[in-house]
Amino acid sequence: MNTEGLLRIHFTAEDQGRLRLATATDWMWEVVLSLHLLQSGEPDLVFDPWRRRLAEFRSPDWAAVVAFLNVINPSAHYFPDFLTPVTGTGEIATGIDAVRCTPKTQFSIQLTRLAHARFLPPRARLLATGDKDAVAHVCRALRTYYDAAIAPFRSLIDLRLAEVRQEYARVTTTRGSEALLRSLGPGCAWQPPSLLVRYPHDRDLHLDGRGLLLVPSFCCVRRPVTLFDRDLAPVLVLPIRHDPRWLSGNGRCAAAGETLGDLLGDTRARILDLAGNGALATGAIAGRLRISAQTISYHTKILRDAGLITSNRDGASVMHHLTATGVALLNGRPTPVGQW
């Protein structure tokens, strides 16, 4: 596994027996990780339409709400664990209430740690003291953000995550916990007795008989996420595969007059179209589109990250092939659930 770092999760036999799967969507993780998506300037076929919709959102305090949440929840190696309490329910109100009930010592420890990496404005520094007004403010901000950024898409997100959980549950029931650990995706590799996870830096997590809760997340991208505090109940938040057309509501790329170029951008749509006629090398695509090979590589990476193409080296060339999702998108057909 060629990565910048590895999270090594060390299992005992007891931990394998205590491997658990979230029973409902954890909306606090969707809030936290979607805020990270907003902070990222990296192009993303799956979430760029969602970002554009939020850019059109108009509310007197929207910009201030997002700015405040970005300060206490940066897209960085460290963000506070109090924002993602484990509640075991699928209700946002329960999650926000758990944030409200965070002990003062946790606010202090976690925000002090955050302040070592970045400047915190006065309201965030008050939160570190457990100030009631500051706590109330962060809870209102979380609810305002959820209502605008997540709630309008809740049914789509919930349906997709339910499908993923059902598939994981089927694997566990029919083939056991080790099979589930082997099936967690390209960012994870089960090498008994450890699960190796692609991560921003090297880290070891010893479960010590506590087991592990697996939480598939719609807004988790690129690599899994875990809690910073090793003393908290161990959680691994997992990225899932997406249909890039999810925001159209009915899964068709031409919904509401939308064309493939509108969805992907003209260059990526043309690359997808060329790949639909058979595997092509980067240089061949560059020649046909009269665009530099470097630019083609940039666009094929985005298509690859979205699960629309796969790429493999053949001698000196890199060949690009459509995936089942890419074929379905190109043909305007809904993507089969198992191919997301």
Side-chain angles (χ1 to χ4, degrees):
M1 188 184 299
N2 182 21
T3 64
E4 60 205 289
L6 281 178
L7 168 65
R8 292 170 291 270
I9 304 178
H10 302 284
F11 284 73
T12 63
E14 186 178 9
D15 290 315
Q16 287 188 41
R18 292 186 175 181
L19 185 66
R20 307 180 309 285
L21 185 64
T23 57
T25 300
D26 190 321
W27 297 107
M28 295 307 295
W29 275 110
E30 301 307 326
V31 164
V32 163
L33 296 175
S34 66
L35 279 160
H36 292 176
L37 287 171
L38 281 184
Q39 293 173 49
S40 170
E42 187 174 349
D44 190 297
L45 293 181
V46 173
F47 291 102
D48 278 352
W50 170 78
R51 287 169 174 158
R52 288 195 293 270
R53 290 211 185 175
L54 286 192
E56 297 169 359
F57 184 69
R58 296 291 180 267
S59 171
D61 59 349
W62 173 247
V65 164
V66 173
F68 173 70
L69 291 176
N70 285 347
V71 166
I72 64 170
N73 174 43
S75 178
H77 288 181
Y78 177 76
F79 55 92
D81 291 331
F82 74 78
L83 292 167
T84 52
V86 176
T87 63
T89 75
E91 296 303 323
I92 186 65
T94 305
I96 293 176
D97 282 343
V99 172
R100 184 178 289 109
C101 295
T102 300
K104 289 184 179 181
T105 53
Q106 289 189 27
F107 280 130
S108 176
I109 292 170
Q110 294 176 27
L111 287 165
T112 298
R113 182 178 293 120
L114 184 63
H116 289 157
R118 60 191 61 243
F119 171 78
L120 295 183
R123 195 183 291 266
R125 293 199 297 272
L126 275 176
L127 183 60
T129 70
D131 178 83
K132 289 185 178 180
D133 289 340
V135 173
H137 179 77
V138 74
C139 291
R140 285 193 302 271
L142 288 167
R143 185 69 203 213
T144 297
Y145 176 82
Y146 168 84
D147 287 343
I150 303 295
F153 318 106
R154 176 174 173 137
S155 60
L156 295 170
I157 294 171
D158 219 12
L159 176 62
R160 177 64 187 130
L161 290 176
E163 291 168 342
V164 173
R165 291 194 301 270
Q166 287 169 8
E167 177 59 21
Y168 282 161
R170 184 193 65 79
V171 171
T172 305
T173 301
T174 59
R175 293 158 52 201
S177 61
E178 286 212 48
L180 176 60
L181 291 168
R182 287 193 299 268
S183 71
L184 296 181
C188 301
W190 174 239
Q191 295 185 10
S194 299
L195 181 67
L196 306 183
V197 180
R198 185 171 62 185
Y199 210 63
H201 54 275
D202 286 331
R203 179 181 173 188
D204 287 275
L205 175 58
H206 294 270
L207 299 180
D208 295 328
R210 296 174 296 170
L212 180 67
L213 177 65
L214 300 176
V215 182
S217 168
F218 196 88
C219 295
C220 184
V221 299
R222 305 286 186 268
R223 63 174 69 89
V225 182
T226 191
L227 298 169
F228 179 87
D229 190 342
R230 290 173 171 81
D231 292 331
L232 294 173
V235 173
L236 186 65
V237 183
L238 298 163
I240 65 170
R241 297 296 296 270
H242 296 86
D243 187 328
R245 302 160 296 176
W246 71 277
L247 203 55
S248 70
N250 62 6
R252 297 189 65 87
C253 67
E258 187 178 63
T259 67
L260 195 59
D262 292 330
L263 179 67
L264 304 180
D266 288 341
T267 300
R268 290 190 282 272
R270 292 166 71 192
I271 293 172
L272 204 67
D273 186 55
L274 286 173
N277 295 319
L280 282 177
T282 300
I285 297 173
R288 294 196 187 189
L289 298 186
R290 297 183 179 179
I291 296 174
S292 73
Q294 183 178 7
T295 299
I296 295 299
S297 295
Y298 167 79
H299 288 296
T300 53
K301 179 183 183 302
I302 295 171
L303 292 169
R304 192 163 51 250
D305 288 344
L308 299 180
I309 66 171
T310 59
S311 305
N312 63 279
R313 184 166 292 281
D314 183 4
S317 300
V318 176
M319 306 297 294
H320 306 288
H321 315 253
L322 286 185
T323 62
T325 302
V327 171
L329 181 63
L330 191 63
N331 295 334
R333 299 194 306 272
T335 305
V337 168
Q339 297 295 333
W340 276 26

